[in-house]
Amino acid sequence: MEVVPGVHAVPGVRWSRAYLIVESEQLALIDSGPPMSARRVFRYVESIGRRPEELRHVMMTHGHPDHVGSARAIVKRTGAVVHAHTSDTHRKRRGSRRYLGGATGIVARVPLVRTTEAHFQVEHGQVADLLGGLRVVHTPGHTPGSVCYLLEREGLLFSGDTLFSDGERVSRSAPFPGYNRDDYVASLRALAEMEFGVLCGGHGEPLLRGASRRLRELLDARPEPPTWGGFFGSIPRRMRVRRPFTGEW
Ligand SMILES: [Zn+2]
Ligand SMILES: [Zn+2]
């Protein structure tokens, strides 16, 4: 599914989202999907007439296993470079390289999730040379190393788990392991000062217009970020109207 020219939401990746950036010279991924997604990514790449070996970069939004889970398998086949913020990585031994996934200090060891080396440390303000410029916005809160990527030309924000959409509304994350409320509130305020029409979240459906305006409306209406109490309290209503279980009600 092409969200805007050159940005595809990879179909078949379940639960979380992986987005494929398509350029004539190379391909890149935003997040790798949960474990067992690599073959689905490769199949999609082939379905648009490209080769998995053209994947050069995997840009991580954060270190949670549902986003990192297939990076190792993707790197193994393609040799792609994994980009991540240092705050979501850990060293296996003193002085060793930095890794994502597994025992990161923010998530316990998760079955099926193999650690992945983070080859390149992203920092706030860096601009990757993809689709005319993909700007790194450090947005700690969901996890310490959560980042969003702003595709400046399209006004499109890849928000990881910092923000979600169901295709209509903007919503926020519940406090999963690694969460810090004050950081999260500050990051949301910073995002609300930016302009982006399109929101590609780490779960749910892309929102195609008016995204930053909707974020401002949400923060005005409900300044407090979601809690687990509110999340669990909303489950009966979600089941009744079949709302997805990501983000606040
Ligand atoms: Zn997450
Ligand atoms: Zn997630």
Side-chain angles (χ1 to χ4, degrees):
M1 175 179 58
E2 196 162 16
V3 182
V4 299
V7 176
H8 299 231
V10 180
V13 172
R14 306 228 172 91
W15 175 242
S16 68
R17 283 281 184 197
Y19 296 95
L20 182 69
I21 291 182
V22 180
E23 291 192 322
S24 54
E25 302 293 310
Q26 61 178 353
L27 306 172
L29 272 178
I30 308 287
D31 284 341
S32 71
M36 323 294 278
S37 304
R39 250 191 302 159
R40 294 185 173 129
V41 170
F42 298 150
R43 217 177 294 144
Y44 184 67
V45 166
E46 284 162 356
S47 80
I48 61 168
R50 302 294 293 263
R51 289 177 304 112
E53 289 68 23
E54 293 179 88
L55 262 172
R56 300 282 151 72
H57 305 279
V58 184
M59 320 288 291
M60 291 297 168
T61 61
H62 64 298
H64 276 158
D66 51 330
H67 301 261
V68 171
S70 290
R72 188 185 173 104
I74 289 167
V75 168
K76 194 173 164 205
R77 165 142 181 206
T78 65
V81 172
V82 174
H83 301 239
H85 194 278
T86 316
S87 300
D88 272 15
T89 65
H90 66 289
R91 295 181 196 277
K92 288 187 170 177
R93 297 178 299 281
R94 236 163 64 102
S96 81
R97 300 185 181 121
R98 293 195 162 274
Y99 288 85
L100 278 156
T104 62
I106 55 166
V107 277
R109 193 163 287 285
V110 177
L112 299 177
V113 176
R114 311 273 306 275
T115 56
T116 304
E117 186 180 341
H119 308 102
F120 185 83
Q121 313 299 321
V122 300
E123 274 166 38
H124 182 79
Q126 278 173 350
V127 181
D129 189 17
L130 289 164
L131 293 180
L134 187 67
R135 179 177 295 276
V136 177
V137 187
H138 184 207
T139 50
H142 177 73
T143 61
S146 281
V147 295
C148 297
Y149 297 100
L150 179 68
L151 188 55
E152 296 185 311
R153 193 169 74 193
E154 303 285 348
L156 180 155
L157 189 75
F158 295 103
S159 57
D161 285 359
T162 298
L163 280 177
F164 305 121
S165 171
D166 60 2
E168 294 170 18
R169 306 165 318 145
V170 168
S171 64
R172 294 165 290 186
S173 169
F176 281 91
Y179 177 80
N180 179 292
R181 182 200 168 278
D182 292 347
D183 288 350
Y184 191 46
V185 168
S187 291
L188 292 171
R189 281 206 199 110
L191 287 178
E193 283 174 17
M194 295 167 44
E195 289 298 333
F196 47 93
V198 184
L199 182 73
C200 288
H203 300 264
E205 298 298 323
L207 177 61
L208 299 179
R209 58 185 72 80
S212 58
R213 177 174 50 77
R214 283 183 214 203
L215 171 61
R216 289 188 282 274
E217 288 167 2
L218 172 68
L219 298 183
D220 284 345
R222 294 149 106 186
E224 269 305 299
T227 60
W228 279 119
F231 180 83
F232 286 117
S234 71
I235 287 177
R237 278 176 292 150
R238 284 169 196 257
M239 289 176 75
R240 228 176 297 134
V241 299
R242 296 171 189 268
R243 278 274 191 198
F245 283 80
T246 44
E248 66 203 294
W249 174 260

